[in-house]
Amino acid sequence: MRTQVAIIGGGPSGLLLSQLLHRKGIDSVVLERQTRDYVLSRIRAGVLEWGMVELLREAGVGQRMDAEGIIHEGTLLAAQNRTIRIDFRKLTGKAVMIYGQTEITHDLYDARDAMGGVVIHEAEGVTPHGLDSDAPHVTYVKDGTEHRIDCDFVAGCDGFHGVSRKSIPSSVLKEFERVYPFGWLGVLSETPPADDELIYAIHERGFALCSMRRADLSRHYVQVPLTDRVEDWSDDAFWAELKRRIPEHAAQRLVTGPSIEKSIAPLRSFVAEPMRWGRLFLVGDAAHIVPPTGAKGLNLAASDVHYLYNGLLAHYQDGTPEGLDDYSRKALLRVWKAERFSWSMTNMMHRFPDQGDFGQRMQESELDYLEHSTAAQTALAENYVGLPY
Ligand code: FAS
Ligand code: PHB
Protein backbone atom coordinates (compact mmCIF):
# COMPACT_ATOMS: atom_id res chain seq x y z
CA MET A 1 0.00 0.00 0.00
CA ARG A 2 1.12 3.61 -0.57
CA THR A 3 -0.13 6.83 0.97
CA GLN A 4 1.11 10.39 1.30
CA VAL A 5 1.01 10.58 5.11
CA ALA A 6 1.15 7.53 7.38
CA ILE A 7 -0.39 8.46 10.73
CA ILE A 8 0.50 6.34 13.76
CA GLY A 9 -2.24 6.66 16.41
CA GLY A 10 -6.02 7.01 16.09
CA GLY A 11 -6.66 9.35 19.02
CA PRO A 12 -7.70 13.00 18.60
CA SER A 13 -4.36 14.06 17.03
CA GLY A 14 -4.26 11.35 14.39
CA LEU A 15 -7.94 11.48 13.50
CA LEU A 16 -8.06 15.28 13.29
CA LEU A 17 -4.95 15.43 11.09
CA SER A 18 -6.32 12.72 8.81
CA GLN A 19 -9.67 14.50 8.54
CA LEU A 20 -8.13 17.89 7.71
CA LEU A 21 -5.77 16.40 5.10
CA HIS A 22 -8.52 14.36 3.45
CA ARG A 23 -10.67 17.49 2.97
CA LYS A 24 -7.80 18.94 0.93
CA GLY A 25 -7.30 15.78 -1.10
CA ILE A 26 -4.19 14.66 0.74
CA ASP A 27 -4.12 10.91 1.31
CA SER A 28 -3.40 9.35 4.71
CA VAL A 29 -3.76 6.06 6.56
CA VAL A 30 -4.28 5.93 10.33
CA LEU A 31 -2.77 2.96 12.18
CA GLU A 32 -4.31 2.43 15.64
CA ARG A 33 -3.24 -0.40 17.90
CA GLN A 34 -6.45 -0.57 19.95
CA THR A 35 -10.00 -1.30 18.91
CA ARG A 36 -12.28 1.62 18.11
CA ASP A 37 -14.42 0.81 21.17
CA TYR A 38 -11.35 0.93 23.40
CA VAL A 39 -10.32 4.33 22.04
CA LEU A 40 -13.87 5.60 22.53
CA SER A 41 -14.05 4.26 26.09
CA ARG A 42 -11.35 6.62 27.36
CA ILE A 43 -12.54 9.56 29.49
CA ARG A 44 -10.09 12.43 29.10
CA ALA A 45 -10.31 16.15 28.45
CA GLY A 46 -13.33 18.40 28.69
CA VAL A 47 -12.30 22.01 28.00
CA LEU A 48 -11.62 23.28 24.46
CA GLU A 49 -9.69 26.45 23.70
CA TRP A 50 -11.39 28.59 21.06
CA GLY A 51 -8.61 27.81 18.61
CA MET A 52 -9.50 24.14 18.86
CA VAL A 53 -13.22 24.92 18.43
CA GLU A 54 -12.40 26.70 15.18
CA LEU A 55 -10.09 23.91 14.00
CA LEU A 56 -12.80 21.29 14.57
CA ARG A 57 -15.22 23.44 12.56
CA GLU A 58 -12.57 23.76 9.81
CA ALA A 59 -12.35 19.96 9.79
CA GLY A 60 -16.13 19.74 9.31
CA VAL A 61 -16.73 18.06 12.67
CA GLY A 62 -18.06 20.96 14.71
CA GLN A 63 -21.81 20.42 14.25
CA ARG A 64 -22.52 18.31 17.37
CA MET A 65 -20.05 20.36 19.41
CA ASP A 66 -21.90 23.56 18.46
CA ALA A 67 -25.25 21.93 19.25
CA GLU A 68 -24.32 20.18 22.51
CA GLY A 69 -21.20 21.97 23.78
CA ILE A 70 -21.48 24.53 26.58
CA ILE A 71 -19.74 27.89 26.18
CA HIS A 72 -18.05 29.07 29.38
CA GLU A 73 -17.11 32.74 29.76
CA GLY A 74 -15.26 32.29 33.02
CA THR A 75 -14.03 29.92 35.70
CA LEU A 76 -13.92 29.92 39.50
CA LEU A 77 -10.86 29.57 41.70
CA ALA A 78 -11.63 28.81 45.35
CA ALA A 79 -9.40 28.98 48.42
CA GLN A 80 -10.10 29.34 52.15
CA ASN A 81 -13.84 29.68 51.39
CA ARG A 82 -13.35 32.70 49.09
CA THR A 83 -14.05 32.39 45.39
CA ILE A 84 -12.32 34.33 42.61
CA ARG A 85 -14.07 34.46 39.26
CA ILE A 86 -11.83 34.83 36.22
CA ASP A 87 -13.96 36.54 33.57
CA PHE A 88 -12.57 35.29 30.26
CA ARG A 89 -14.97 37.34 28.13
CA LYS A 90 -14.27 40.66 29.90
CA LEU A 91 -10.51 40.12 30.14
CA THR A 92 -9.80 38.53 26.73
CA GLY A 93 -12.97 38.83 24.63
CA LYS A 94 -12.88 35.03 24.32
CA ALA A 95 -14.49 31.97 25.89
CA VAL A 96 -13.91 28.20 26.07
CA MET A 97 -16.16 25.32 25.03
CA ILE A 98 -17.07 22.45 27.33
CA TYR A 99 -17.27 19.35 25.14
CA GLY A 100 -15.70 16.02 26.04
CA GLN A 101 -12.73 14.54 24.21
CA THR A 102 -14.68 11.30 23.96
CA GLU A 103 -17.37 13.12 21.94
CA ILE A 104 -14.74 14.72 19.71
CA THR A 105 -13.26 11.29 19.02
CA HIS A 106 -16.75 9.97 18.20
CA ASP A 107 -17.34 12.88 15.82
CA LEU A 108 -13.97 12.37 14.14
CA TYR A 109 -14.53 8.64 13.67
CA ASP A 110 -17.97 9.32 12.19
CA ALA A 111 -16.47 11.89 9.81
CA ARG A 112 -13.69 9.50 8.78
CA ASP A 113 -16.29 6.84 8.03
CA ALA A 114 -18.41 9.29 6.05
CA MET A 115 -15.43 10.28 3.87
CA GLY A 116 -14.17 6.73 3.50
CA GLY A 117 -11.06 7.54 5.52
CA VAL A 118 -8.71 4.61 6.17
CA VAL A 119 -8.31 3.86 9.89
CA ILE A 120 -6.78 0.44 10.60
CA HIS A 121 -7.53 -0.77 14.15
CA GLU A 122 -5.72 -3.48 16.09
CA ALA A 123 -2.60 -2.73 14.07
CA GLU A 124 0.16 -4.44 16.01
CA GLY A 125 3.90 -3.86 15.99
CA VAL A 126 3.64 -0.59 14.08
CA THR A 127 7.20 0.34 13.13
CA PRO A 128 8.41 3.33 11.09
CA HIS A 129 11.39 2.77 8.79
CA GLY A 130 13.69 5.01 6.72
CA LEU A 131 12.68 8.18 8.56
CA ASP A 132 15.98 9.81 7.62
CA SER A 133 15.53 8.89 3.94
CA ASP A 134 13.35 10.33 1.17
CA ALA A 135 11.28 7.12 1.10
CA PRO A 136 10.05 6.19 4.56
CA HIS A 137 7.66 3.33 5.16
CA VAL A 138 5.73 1.83 8.05
CA THR A 139 5.18 -1.85 8.78
CA TYR A 140 2.54 -3.41 11.01
CA VAL A 141 0.89 -6.75 11.70
CA LYS A 142 -2.85 -7.25 11.36
CA ASP A 143 -4.50 -10.62 11.98
CA GLY A 144 -1.10 -12.26 11.91
CA THR A 145 -0.09 -10.84 8.52
CA GLU A 146 2.67 -8.23 8.13
CA HIS A 147 1.83 -5.21 5.97
CA ARG A 148 3.92 -2.35 4.59
CA ILE A 149 2.82 1.20 3.82
CA ASP A 150 5.14 3.35 1.71
CA CYS A 151 4.65 7.06 2.32
CA ASP A 152 6.11 10.55 2.02
CA PHE A 153 5.79 11.46 5.71
CA VAL A 154 5.01 9.81 9.06
CA ALA A 155 2.93 11.63 11.71
CA GLY A 156 3.63 10.25 15.19
CA CYS A 157 0.25 10.76 16.85
CA ASP A 158 0.66 7.76 19.15
CA GLY A 159 0.66 9.38 22.56
CA PHE A 160 3.13 9.28 25.42
CA HIS A 161 3.64 5.52 25.29
CA GLY A 162 3.81 5.25 21.51
CA VAL A 163 6.59 4.07 19.20
CA SER A 164 7.22 7.32 17.32
CA ARG A 165 9.23 9.33 19.86
CA LYS A 166 11.34 6.23 20.54
CA SER A 167 12.20 6.11 16.82
CA ILE A 168 14.24 9.31 17.13
CA PRO A 169 17.91 8.54 17.94
CA SER A 170 18.82 9.30 21.56
CA SER A 171 21.72 11.38 20.20
CA VAL A 172 19.13 13.69 18.61
CA LEU A 173 16.28 13.64 21.14
CA LYS A 174 16.31 15.80 24.29
CA GLU A 175 13.64 15.16 26.93
CA PHE A 176 12.52 17.48 29.74
CA GLU A 177 10.40 16.10 32.58
CA ARG A 178 8.91 16.99 35.93
CA VAL A 179 6.90 14.29 37.74
CA TYR A 180 4.50 15.57 40.42
CA PRO A 181 4.25 13.88 43.85
CA PHE A 182 0.50 13.30 43.56
CA GLY A 183 -2.21 12.19 41.14
CA TRP A 184 -5.79 13.09 40.29
CA LEU A 185 -8.60 10.73 41.25
CA GLY A 186 -11.33 11.41 38.70
CA VAL A 187 -15.02 10.43 38.85
CA LEU A 188 -17.60 10.67 36.07
CA SER A 189 -21.19 10.72 37.35
CA GLU A 190 -24.64 11.24 35.87
CA THR A 191 -25.30 14.17 38.19
CA PRO A 192 -25.70 17.91 37.55
CA PRO A 193 -22.56 20.08 37.74
CA ALA A 194 -21.57 21.64 41.07
CA ASP A 195 -21.86 25.14 39.60
CA ASP A 196 -22.49 26.88 36.28
CA GLU A 197 -18.73 27.11 35.69
CA LEU A 198 -15.73 24.96 36.65
CA ILE A 199 -14.45 25.27 40.23
CA TYR A 200 -10.69 24.85 40.80
CA ALA A 201 -10.26 24.60 44.58
CA ILE A 202 -7.19 24.54 46.83
CA HIS A 203 -7.69 23.34 50.40
CA GLU A 204 -5.27 22.30 53.15
CA ARG A 205 -6.25 18.72 52.29
CA GLY A 206 -5.38 19.25 48.64
CA PHE A 207 -6.70 20.25 45.22
CA ALA A 208 -10.19 19.56 43.89
CA LEU A 209 -11.87 20.33 40.56
CA CYS A 210 -15.57 20.36 39.77
CA SER A 211 -16.04 20.05 36.02
CA MET A 212 -18.74 18.82 33.69
CA ARG A 213 -19.57 17.32 30.31
CA ARG A 214 -23.29 18.15 30.07
CA ALA A 215 -26.07 19.47 32.31
CA ASP A 216 -26.61 15.88 33.46
CA LEU A 217 -23.03 14.59 33.40
CA SER A 218 -20.29 15.79 35.74
CA ARG A 219 -16.56 15.15 36.02
CA HIS A 220 -14.89 15.78 39.37
CA TYR A 221 -11.34 15.29 40.64
CA VAL A 222 -9.46 15.31 43.95
CA GLN A 223 -5.69 15.32 44.42
CA VAL A 224 -4.50 12.02 45.94
CA PRO A 225 -1.10 10.64 47.00
CA LEU A 226 0.68 8.57 44.37
CA THR A 227 0.36 5.57 46.68
CA ASP A 228 -3.45 5.59 46.47
CA ARG A 229 -5.21 3.02 44.31
CA VAL A 230 -8.63 3.56 42.79
CA GLU A 231 -10.00 0.58 44.74
CA ASP A 232 -9.08 2.46 47.95
CA TRP A 233 -11.79 5.00 47.14
CA SER A 234 -15.49 4.23 47.52
CA ASP A 235 -17.90 6.66 45.88
CA ASP A 236 -19.01 7.88 49.31
CA ALA A 237 -15.41 8.55 50.36
CA PHE A 238 -14.82 10.47 47.12
CA TRP A 239 -17.89 12.69 47.50
CA ALA A 240 -17.12 13.36 51.18
CA GLU A 241 -13.56 14.41 50.30
CA LEU A 242 -14.68 16.60 47.41
CA LYS A 243 -17.18 18.39 49.67
CA ARG A 244 -14.45 19.08 52.22
CA ARG A 245 -12.29 20.83 49.64
CA ILE A 246 -14.76 22.96 47.67
CA PRO A 247 -16.51 26.14 48.91
CA GLU A 248 -19.41 25.62 51.31
CA HIS A 249 -22.07 26.92 48.89
CA ALA A 250 -20.93 24.43 46.26
CA ALA A 251 -20.69 21.55 48.76
CA GLN A 252 -24.22 22.20 49.95
CA ARG A 253 -25.76 22.18 46.45
CA LEU A 254 -23.57 19.29 45.18
CA VAL A 255 -25.67 16.36 43.94
CA THR A 256 -23.80 13.09 44.40
CA GLY A 257 -24.40 9.79 42.66
CA PRO A 258 -22.75 6.54 41.56
CA SER A 259 -19.51 6.82 39.59
CA ILE A 260 -19.78 5.52 36.02
CA GLU A 261 -16.01 5.89 35.61
CA LYS A 262 -13.35 6.24 38.28
CA SER A 263 -9.58 6.40 37.70
CA ILE A 264 -6.34 7.87 39.02
CA ALA A 265 -4.10 9.76 36.57
CA PRO A 266 -0.48 10.60 37.44
CA LEU A 267 0.67 14.16 36.72
CA ARG A 268 3.77 15.05 34.79
CA SER A 269 5.23 17.84 32.68
CA PHE A 270 7.13 16.44 29.72
CA VAL A 271 8.53 17.78 26.47
CA ALA A 272 10.59 16.03 23.79
CA GLU A 273 12.67 18.14 21.41
CA PRO A 274 12.83 18.28 18.42
CA MET A 275 9.29 17.41 17.27
CA ARG A 276 10.62 16.49 13.83
CA TRP A 277 13.28 14.07 12.70
CA GLY A 278 13.64 13.56 8.94
CA ARG A 279 10.23 12.52 7.62
CA LEU A 280 8.77 11.94 11.13
CA PHE A 281 6.69 14.61 12.89
CA LEU A 282 5.67 14.15 16.54
CA VAL A 283 2.19 15.43 17.38
CA GLY A 284 0.29 15.80 20.67
CA ASP A 285 1.06 13.54 23.63
CA ALA A 286 3.76 11.77 21.60
CA ALA A 287 5.81 14.95 22.08
CA HIS A 288 4.53 16.54 25.28
CA ILE A 289 2.47 16.01 28.42
CA VAL A 290 1.06 18.65 30.77
CA PRO A 291 -0.57 18.30 34.19
CA PRO A 292 -4.32 18.73 33.44
CA THR A 293 -4.62 21.70 35.85
CA GLY A 294 -4.48 24.12 32.92
CA ALA A 295 -6.73 22.04 30.60
CA LYS A 296 -4.02 22.17 27.91
CA GLY A 297 -3.27 18.56 26.92
CA LEU A 298 -5.83 18.06 24.19
CA ASN A 299 -5.60 21.72 23.15
CA LEU A 300 -1.86 21.46 22.54
CA ALA A 301 -2.48 18.41 20.36
CA ALA A 302 -4.84 20.60 18.32
CA SER A 303 -2.29 23.38 17.76
CA ASP A 304 0.35 20.80 16.74
CA VAL A 305 -2.14 19.40 14.21
CA HIS A 306 -2.82 22.94 12.94
CA TYR A 307 0.89 23.60 12.32
CA LEU A 308 1.59 20.21 10.72
CA TYR A 309 -1.55 20.30 8.58
CA ASN A 310 -0.64 23.73 7.18
CA GLY A 311 2.95 22.63 6.63
CA LEU A 312 1.82 19.57 4.66
CA LEU A 313 -0.69 21.65 2.73
CA ALA A 314 2.04 24.09 1.66
CA HIS A 315 4.30 21.18 0.70
CA TYR A 316 1.73 19.41 -1.47
CA GLN A 317 -0.10 22.43 -2.90
CA ASP A 318 2.72 24.96 -3.39
CA GLY A 319 5.81 22.77 -3.19
CA THR A 320 7.16 24.98 -0.39
CA PRO A 321 9.05 23.28 2.51
CA GLU A 322 9.03 26.20 4.98
CA GLY A 323 5.95 25.06 6.94
CA LEU A 324 7.39 21.60 7.54
CA ASP A 325 10.90 22.88 8.16
CA ASP A 326 9.57 25.32 10.77
CA TYR A 327 7.08 22.89 12.36
CA SER A 328 9.15 21.84 15.38
CA ARG A 329 10.29 25.36 16.27
CA LYS A 330 6.82 26.86 15.91
CA ALA A 331 5.01 24.06 17.77
CA LEU A 332 7.53 24.05 20.63
CA LEU A 333 7.16 27.80 21.18
CA ARG A 334 3.46 27.25 21.96
CA VAL A 335 4.08 23.97 23.80
CA TRP A 336 6.52 25.55 26.25
CA LYS A 337 4.12 28.44 27.02
CA ALA A 338 1.38 25.90 27.80
CA GLU A 339 3.84 23.85 29.87
CA ARG A 340 4.67 26.95 31.90
CA PHE A 341 1.01 27.80 32.45
CA SER A 342 0.09 24.24 33.43
CA TRP A 343 3.08 24.01 35.77
CA SER A 344 2.25 27.35 37.41
CA MET A 345 -1.44 26.46 37.85
CA THR A 346 -0.41 23.12 39.37
CA ASN A 347 2.01 24.81 41.78
CA MET A 348 -0.61 27.37 42.81
CA MET A 349 -3.48 24.94 43.31
CA HIS A 350 -1.99 21.78 44.87
CA ARG A 351 -0.57 20.88 48.27
CA PHE A 352 2.98 19.61 47.83
CA PRO A 353 4.23 17.23 50.54
CA ASP A 354 7.46 19.20 50.97
CA GLN A 355 6.20 22.75 50.41
CA GLY A 356 6.54 23.85 54.03
CA ASP A 357 5.16 27.02 55.63
CA PHE A 358 7.01 29.31 53.24
CA GLY A 359 5.61 27.48 50.23
CA GLN A 360 2.13 27.73 51.65
CA ARG A 361 2.49 31.49 52.13
CA MET A 362 3.68 31.75 48.51
CA GLN A 363 0.49 30.01 47.35
CA GLU A 364 -1.73 32.16 49.55
CA SER A 365 -0.09 35.39 48.39
CA GLU A 366 -0.32 34.34 44.72
CA LEU A 367 -4.06 33.78 45.13
CA ASP A 368 -4.40 37.06 47.03
CA TYR A 369 -2.56 38.88 44.23
CA LEU A 370 -4.80 37.16 41.66
CA GLU A 371 -7.93 38.19 43.53
CA HIS A 372 -7.00 41.88 43.50
CA SER A 373 -5.10 42.32 40.22
CA THR A 374 -6.72 42.69 36.82
CA ALA A 375 -3.31 42.20 35.22
CA ALA A 376 -2.83 38.86 37.00
CA GLN A 377 -6.34 37.74 36.10
CA THR A 378 -5.83 38.75 32.47
CA ALA A 379 -2.61 36.74 32.29
CA LEU A 380 -4.36 33.67 33.64
CA ALA A 381 -7.39 34.19 31.38
CA GLU A 382 -5.42 34.59 28.14
CA ASN A 383 -3.46 31.41 28.83
CA TYR A 384 -6.58 29.47 29.81
CA VAL A 385 -8.64 30.42 26.72
CA GLY A 386 -5.57 29.67 24.61
CA LEU A 387 -2.68 31.76 23.29
CA PRO A 388 -2.78 32.46 19.53
CA TYR A 389 -1.69 29.65 17.17
P1 FAS B 1 -3.70 9.94 22.70
O1 FAS B 1 -2.87 9.25 23.74
O2 FAS B 1 -5.07 10.39 23.01
O3 FAS B 1 -3.85 8.96 21.43
C1 FAS B 1 -2.76 8.19 20.99
C2 FAS B 1 -3.33 6.98 20.26
O4 FAS B 1 -2.23 6.23 19.72
C3 FAS B 1 -4.07 6.04 21.21
O5 FAS B 1 -5.35 5.74 20.67
C4 FAS B 1 -3.18 4.81 21.29
O6 FAS B 1 -3.92 3.61 21.42
C5 FAS B 1 -2.45 4.86 19.97
N1 FAS B 1 -1.13 4.20 20.01
C6 FAS B 1 -0.21 4.25 21.00
N2 FAS B 1 0.87 3.54 20.65
C7 FAS B 1 0.63 3.04 19.40
C8 FAS B 1 1.36 2.23 18.50
N3 FAS B 1 2.59 1.77 18.82
N4 FAS B 1 0.79 1.89 17.32
C9 FAS B 1 -0.44 2.35 16.99
N5 FAS B 1 -1.19 3.13 17.79
C10 FAS B 1 -0.65 3.47 18.99
N6 FAS B 1 -6.11 16.78 28.63
C11 FAS B 1 -6.84 17.86 28.93
O7 FAS B 1 -6.75 18.87 28.23
N7 FAS B 1 -7.70 17.84 30.00
C12 FAS B 1 -7.85 16.71 30.78
O8 FAS B 1 -8.62 16.71 31.72
C13 FAS B 1 -7.11 15.55 30.49
N8 FAS B 1 -7.25 14.41 31.23
C14 FAS B 1 -6.49 13.31 30.93
C15 FAS B 1 -6.59 12.12 31.67
C16 FAS B 1 -5.80 11.01 31.36
C17 FAS B 1 -5.92 9.73 32.18
C18 FAS B 1 -4.87 11.07 30.29
C19 FAS B 1 -3.97 9.89 29.96
C20 FAS B 1 -4.77 12.25 29.55
C21 FAS B 1 -5.58 13.36 29.85
N9 FAS B 1 -5.50 14.54 29.11
C22 FAS B 1 -6.24 15.65 29.40
C23 FAS B 1 -4.61 14.65 28.01
C24 FAS B 1 -5.25 13.99 26.82
O9 FAS B 1 -6.50 14.51 26.59
C25 FAS B 1 -4.29 14.12 25.66
O10 FAS B 1 -3.75 15.41 25.58
C26 FAS B 1 -4.91 13.75 24.34
O11 FAS B 1 -5.47 12.48 24.45
C27 FAS B 1 -3.82 13.84 23.30
O12 FAS B 1 -4.27 13.22 22.16
P2 FAS B 1 -3.27 12.37 21.24
O13 FAS B 1 -2.03 13.15 21.03
O14 FAS B 1 -4.08 11.91 20.09
O15 FAS B 1 -2.81 11.14 22.15
C1 PHB C 1 -12.25 17.85 32.77
O1 PHB C 1 -13.42 18.24 32.61
O2 PHB C 1 -11.93 16.64 32.67
C2 PHB C 1 -11.18 18.87 33.07
C3 PHB C 1 -11.48 20.20 32.99
C4 PHB C 1 -10.48 21.13 33.26
C5 PHB C 1 -9.22 20.70 33.63
C6 PHB C 1 -8.92 19.35 33.71
C7 PHB C 1 -9.91 18.41 33.43
O3 PHB C 1 -8.26 21.62 33.91
Side-chain angles (χ1 to χ4, degrees), residues 273-323:
E273 293 184 1
M275 288 175 58
R276 174 192 188 175
W277 185 64
R279 294 297 179 108
L280 171 68
F281 296 86
L282 300 182
V283 182
D285 278 18
H288 41 73
I289 297 287
V290 284
T293 328
K296 291 295 151 215
L298 176 63
N299 291 297
L300 270 184
S303 48
D304 291 351
V305 167
H306 165 83
Y307 296 134
L308 183 54
Y309 161 62
N310 283 287
L312 289 166
L313 210 50
H315 168 83
Y316 283 114
Q317 289 187 345
D318 318 327
T320 54
E322 287 78 16

Side-chain angles (χ1 to χ4, degrees), residues 168-185:
I168 298 179
S170 54
S171 58
V172 172
L173 197 68
K174 182 165 178 54
E175 296 181 342
F176 305 79
E177 185 169 50
R178 160 82 38 105
V179 177
Y180 296 89
F182 40 72
W184 278 19
L185 166 63

Side-chain angles (χ1 to χ4, degrees), residues 218-365:
S218 293
R219 180 77 170 159
H220 300 291
Y221 300 90
V222 294
Q223 170 188 346
V224 293
L226 282 175
T227 48
D228 277 16
R229 296 166 307 148
V230 67
E231 51 269 26
D232 298 339
W233 283 86
S234 67
D235 287 359
D236 289 347
F238 174 83
W239 291 119
E241 190 59 35
L242 182 70
K243 284 183 177 179
R244 290 187 192 99
R245 299 186 187 184
I246 60 178
E248 233 164 277
H249 75 272
Q252 280 161 8
R253 64 178 276 193
L254 185 72
V255 176
T256 64
S259 59
I260 56 176
E261 193 273 349
K262 186 170 10 180
S263 54
I264 294 180
L267 270 64
R268 77 173 75 234
S269 297
F270 174 87
V271 179
E273 293 184 1
M275 288 175 58
R276 174 192 188 175
W277 185 64
R279 294 297 179 108
L280 171 68
F281 296 86
L282 300 182
V283 182
D285 278 18
H288 41 73
I289 297 287
V290 284
T293 328
K296 291 295 151 215
L298 176 63
N299 291 297
L300 270 184
S303 48
D304 291 351
V305 167
H306 165 83
Y307 296 134
L308 183 54
Y309 161 62
N310 283 287
L312 289 166
L313 210 50
H315 168 83
Y316 283 114
Q317 289 187 345
D318 318 327
T320 54
E322 287 78 16
L324 292 178
D325 292 346
D326 201 30
Y327 167 74
S328 180
R329 183 196 68 82
K330 207 166 181 183
L332 283 168
L333 278 176
R334 192 170 195 274
V335 164
W336 276 113
K337 291 189 185 82
E339 290 282 349
R340 183 209 64 79
F341 175 66
S342 306
W343 167 80
S344 67
M345 282 284 283
T346 303
N347 282 329
M348 183 170 71
M349 299 302 291
H350 288 75
R351 278 285 177 266
F352 285 69
D354 60 352
Q355 75 182 50
D357 295 341
F358 178 80
Q360 186 160 334
R361 286 289 183 273
M362 287 295 99
Q363 280 182 332
E364 289 166 3
S365 65

Side-chain angles (χ1 to χ4, degrees), residues 71-75 85-89 94-96 197:
I71 292 178
H72 276 198
E73 305 207 339
T75 194
R85 182 170 187 268
I86 307 294
D87 189 334
F88 302 146
R89 185 66 77 193
K94 290 184 186 175
V96 295
E197 295 175 331

Side-chain angles (χ1 to χ4, degrees), residues 61-80:
V61 294
Q63 298 84 348
R64 201 159 67 96
M65 171 189 68
D66 286 330
E68 298 175 16
I70 309 167
I71 292 178
H72 276 198
E73 305 207 339
T75 194
L76 304 169
L77 299 181
Q80 288 94 26

Side-chain angles (χ1 to χ4, degrees), residues 44 46-47 184 198 200 209 211 213 219 221 292-295 384:
R44 295 250 180 106
V47 175
W184 278 19
L198 271 59
Y200 290 81
L209 171 60
S211 183
R213 292 291 181 272
R219 180 77 170 159
Y221 300 90
T293 328
Y384 195 94

